[in-house]
Amino acid sequence: MAVVELKVGMHCERCIKAIKKAIKTIDDMESYQLDTEINKVTVTGNVTPEEVVKALQKIGKTASSWGDD
């Protein structure tokens, strides 16, 4: 099981709902957590960072690895 942590801009309720919906479509995703205070998305399951980034890119969001600045 992997834990993927990404930095994603979340500025409004619409963005947050879109991000949740996109994450839920990822195969083998077990759980997720959004921290809107620090723009952090954590996805747990049999997932790769690439899968999560790709799902977010489909809705027009850019994501970077947590810790990359």
Side-chain angles (χ1 to χ4, degrees):
M1 176 138 19
V3 176
V4 176
E5 296 178 323
L6 299 172
K7 179 173 263 188
V8 183
M10 295 179 265
H11 299 61
C12 64
E13 277 302 312
R14 208 169 102 213
C15 292
I16 293 165
K17 284 181 183 177
I19 290 167
K20 287 179 181 178
K21 188 175 178 180
I23 289 171
K24 288 177 184 177
T25 67
I26 301 169
D27 290 336
D28 296 327
M29 183 279 301
E30 301 223 349
S31 65
Y32 66 91
Q33 182 176 357
L34 304 182
D35 188 333
T36 56
E37 295 287 313
I38 57 175
N39 290 331
K40 184 177 183 179
V41 173
T42 305
V43 181
T44 306
N46 188 17
V47 296
T48 65
E50 293 78 18
E51 287 176 301
V52 181
V53 168
K54 188 175 177 183
L56 293 170
Q57 285 175 337
K58 284 183 182 176
I59 61 164
K61 287 289 181 185
T62 55
S64 58
S65 294
W66 188 254
D68 286 359
D69 281 329

